[in-house]
Amino acid sequence: MQYVKLEDLVSYTGIEPVYYPEDVQSRIYTPDIIRPGLQMAGYFDWFSFERVQVMGKAETLYFKNLDERVKEERIDKFFSFPIPALIVANEMEVEDIIIHYAKKYKRPVFKSGEKTDKLVNVMINFLEEELAEETTLHGVCLEVFGVGVLLKGKSSIGKSETALELINRGHRLVADDAVIIKKVEGGLKATCPELTQHLMEIRGIGILDIKHLFGVGSIRIEQFIELVIELEEWDENKEYDRIGVDEEYTVILGVNVPTVVIPVRPGRNLSAIIEIAAKNYRQKLLGYNPLESYNKKFHSIVRK
């Protein structure tokens, strides 16, 4: 089961440890965050203890005004659950009784000067991405005219060479060969393995550092995939779509991605075709479909 180490969340958010036992390795399995107001009020039915707990101003002040005996009873029961961590936000004071019972059960406690809602949003965004469903595909990912394009095709079809020409024309590389794809916010975010960031392999030349060759403007760290370009060898016996009637999709992590199949043969300018495919995709997003326009003209002429 996928998880995030608590230390990674601490490093990302900059929350300050109040009590952080070294021999406890907390793991976070859900991106959801809970503010334990009901638990401070004594209601523990359906307590989502597996989530990171965040006490804001309201929860902290409510707890502070409780009778001492009630405080002990509730915070003792609260920490008896295996929570990943408790974070006290909004520059609120962490009472000694909280630290005492945190030590009793070895539950990490942190504090933060951030506003509660802002801190919660930052943590949710981080955890959602880290815990997102993920796959790695063979291909090349680029940004072409602002569109995230995934080039696919069998080995030696010319993906990297075509991508290099696109980069030379001013477009940006995300990943070559291995493309890490995460399902985030209903979309597909592509990144590159750390080992091969900014690098491309071109047969006959070797490894190229795109960032150094073309400058920082030629690369992107991540990009949402919006269009798949499938390169395949020209098949004389196959009928290829010539007017854009057929809409094809590639399913990646359960998401349907519009797909254009481009047959490859000598003399075809693949980089120019891919640029046009990206522009055409953007045009459709803006509400203009050239096929629909063609059909309207055709029917208008037929009626005359």
Side-chain angles (χ1 to χ4, degrees):
M1 189 175 182
Q2 203 166 356
Y3 63 86
V4 175
K5 293 180 180 179
L6 178 59
E7 61 195 65
D8 293 336
L9 180 67
V10 173
S11 176
Y12 183 80
T13 58
I15 53 179
E16 183 181 341
V18 176
Y19 170 65
Y20 194 0
E22 294 182 359
D23 58 337
V24 174
Q25 295 184 344
S26 292
R27 294 176 176 179
I28 304 166
Y29 294 92
T30 172
D32 298 320
I33 306 293
I34 185 173
R35 296 180 64 172
L38 287 174
Q39 287 67 47
M40 295 302 106
Y43 185 80
F44 285 89
D45 291 350
W46 311 105
F47 177 32
S48 300
F49 59 83
E50 72 282 357
R51 303 179 184 181
V52 173
Q53 314 287 313
V54 178
M55 290 177 66
K57 188 174 183 179
E59 295 85 3
T60 305
L61 291 178
Y62 175 82
F63 181 78
K64 184 176 182 179
N65 291 322
L66 291 174
D67 178 78
E68 287 300 318
R69 182 187 60 79
V70 176
K71 276 186 183 180
E72 288 194 18
E73 177 185 301
R74 291 182 184 168
I75 203 67
D76 182 41
K77 187 168 184 179
F78 175 74
F79 280 124
S80 69
F81 290 87
I83 64 171
L86 170 66
I87 303 169
V88 179
N90 215 17
E91 294 185 338
M92 300 303 295
E93 178 188 359
V94 182
E95 292 193 53
D96 291 340
I97 192 171
I98 292 177
I99 301 172
H100 172 76
Y101 281 97
K103 289 180 177 179
K104 176 182 176 181
Y105 292 99
K106 289 192 173 183
R107 309 296 186 217
V109 177
F110 301 86
K111 64 180 180 179
S112 172
E114 289 285 356
K115 297 290 185 182
T116 311
D117 289 344
K118 182 179 179 181
L119 177 63
V120 168
N121 287 335
V122 168
M123 289 195 296
I124 288 175
N125 289 337
F126 172 75
L127 292 173
E128 279 186 342
E129 182 154 343
E130 291 298 306
L131 294 169
E133 192 177 355
E134 179 182 312
T135 188
T136 300
L137 296 181
H138 175 67
V140 185
C141 184
L142 305 113
E143 181 207 77
V144 181
F145 294 128
V147 177
V149 174
L150 177 64
L151 287 183
K152 294 181 65 183
K154 70 178 186 179
S155 184
S156 303
I157 195 72
K159 298 184 296 296
S160 294
E161 291 80 359
T162 302
L164 184 60
E165 174 60 22
L166 286 165
I167 294 166
N168 196 41
R169 294 165 79 119
H171 306 293
R172 299 197 278 181
L173 173 72
V174 179
D176 178 51
D177 192 41
V179 183
I180 299 173
I181 301 173
K182 288 187 175 184
K183 188 176 181 180
V184 180
E185 300 171 4
L188 300 171
K189 182 180 286 188
T191 57
C192 183
E194 185 177 355
L195 182 64
T196 57
Q197 273 188 352
H198 318 149
L199 303 180
M200 291 187 73
E201 177 196 347
I202 302 296
R203 288 177 176 83
I205 297 179
I207 302 296
L208 302 178
D209 190 318
I210 299 302
K211 181 179 177 181
H212 281 83
L213 279 173
F214 296 94
V216 293
S218 64
I219 55 103
R220 279 187 65 95
I221 301 301
E222 57 187 30
Q223 174 71 40
F224 277 96
I225 295 173
E226 300 168 85
L227 182 65
V228 171
I229 303 289
E230 184 82 37
L231 302 181
E232 66 172 45
E233 292 182 1
W234 189 290
D235 184 352
E236 297 290 347
N237 299 315
K238 183 176 179 179
E239 187 69 31
Y240 291 102
D241 187 14
R242 299 180 63 180
I243 58 175
V245 174
D246 301 328
E247 291 190 354
E248 296 189 32
Y249 295 90
T250 298
V251 180
I252 304 174
L253 297 176
V255 178
N256 290 329
V257 185
T259 300
V260 176
V261 178
I262 299 178
V264 177
R265 71 175 180 182
R268 301 203 85 199
N269 190 333
L270 295 180
S271 55
I273 295 172
I274 291 169
E275 284 182 328
I276 294 302
K279 283 185 175 182
N280 193 48
Y281 171 79
R282 290 189 65 182
Q283 190 173 243
K284 288 180 179 179
L285 284 183
L286 295 172
Y288 177 76
N289 189 323
L291 179 59
E292 291 178 0
S293 178
Y294 169 81
N295 284 334
K296 287 179 182 178
K297 288 182 180 179
F298 175 79
H299 290 298
S300 176
I301 293 172
V302 168
R303 292 191 191 100
K304 289 181 179 179

